[in-house]
Amino acid sequence: METEMKLGKSALTVAIVTILLLMIPFVAMQISGEVDWSFMDFAIMGTLIFITGMAYVTLTRFASYWVLKLAFIITIGITFFMIWANLAVGLIGSGPHAGNLMYIVIYLIVAIGTLRYYSNPSKMVYVMLATIGGLILLTIVAFLAGMQNYHASSASEILMVNGFFIVPYAIAAILFRDAARKLKSKN
């Protein structure tokens, strides 16, 4: 009962923070014509912020060591940023096309792996390695498909963007490994 009340309070806090963050573009729309969000933009971003906030609250509450907490924060944060950037401008070129849709596989690897193994840091290492492998494979597919020739895209951009995301997942993998070692030595 106490856990349910804490989770309810956390959900309310996350909902309030989500609304406050959505007020930024809403107010900007009133002041400037350069910000033009549709209802769908607010709905998608609100959902993304709320889910990210709840993932943070749930996973960091479970984490018994600061190293494990930090690993979850990095995983959640970089995944949020990847989704947001892809929705906002696209990660390969610009706009909705196969190159940007391929990242859905990466989100699924992180989400399904984390839901399945959040309580086992040693398995979370494999989730991070699978995510890194997915990003490397995505990069290879992008080059084989000639996506470096898309409008507003280049070979160096594809390499830099995917490398940018690989690094934090690698750091999270190292942190999950360290947390697993601490848990093992404790038992």
Side-chain angles (χ1 to χ4, degrees):
M1 179 88 163
E2 188 176 319
T3 304
E4 290 174 8
M5 286 184 62
K6 284 183 180 178
L7 188 59
K9 279 185 176 181
S10 296
L12 180 61
T13 301
V14 171
I16 291 168
V17 169
T18 300
I19 291 167
L20 290 173
L21 287 172
L22 291 175
M23 291 301 294
I24 296 169
F26 180 77
V27 169
M29 285 174 56
Q30 311 312 309
I31 298 170
S32 170
E34 292 182 29
V35 180
D36 185 25
W37 281 32
S38 68
F39 173 79
M40 199 60 158
D41 292 331
F42 281 99
I44 290 170
M45 189 50 96
T47 302
L48 182 59
I49 293 170
F50 184 79
I51 289 171
T52 301
M54 288 306 297
Y56 168 79
V57 166
T58 305
L59 293 173
T60 57
R61 179 174 290 146
F62 163 79
S64 52
Y65 295 106
W66 71 269
V67 173
L68 187 55
K69 229 176 247 228
L70 183 58
F72 280 127
I73 289 169
I74 291 169
T75 302
I76 294 165
I78 200 63
T79 304
F80 170 84
F81 184 70
M82 184 188 304
I83 294 169
W84 174 70
N86 201 7
L87 288 172
V89 294
L91 296 173
I92 297 178
S94 60
H97 54 69
N100 290 321
L101 293 176
M102 290 190 304
Y103 286 91
I104 292 171
V105 173
I106 304 303
Y107 314 145
L108 290 174
I109 292 169
V110 174
I112 293 169
T114 302
L115 285 171
R116 176 82 171 95
Y117 297 115
Y118 69 91
S119 63
N120 187 338
S122 61
K123 299 274 186 178
M124 283 301 297
V125 172
Y126 294 113
V127 173
M128 296 299 99
L129 294 176
T131 304
I132 292 166
L135 284 164
I136 291 168
L137 184 61
L138 187 146
T139 304
I140 293 167
V141 169
F143 285 127
L144 292 175
M147 293 179 191
Q148 67 274 16
N149 300 319
Y150 282 7
H151 175 71
S153 185
S154 68
S156 61
E157 179 182 287
I158 292 171
L159 286 171
M160 286 190 302
V161 164
N162 288 306
F164 173 82
F165 291 112
I166 286 170
V167 169
Y169 285 122
I171 292 168
I174 292 165
L175 293 172
F176 281 122
R177 184 198 66 199
D178 290 347
R181 286 180 179 166
K182 281 186 179 184
L183 284 171
K184 190 174 184 178
S185 68
K186 183 181 176 185
N187 294 334

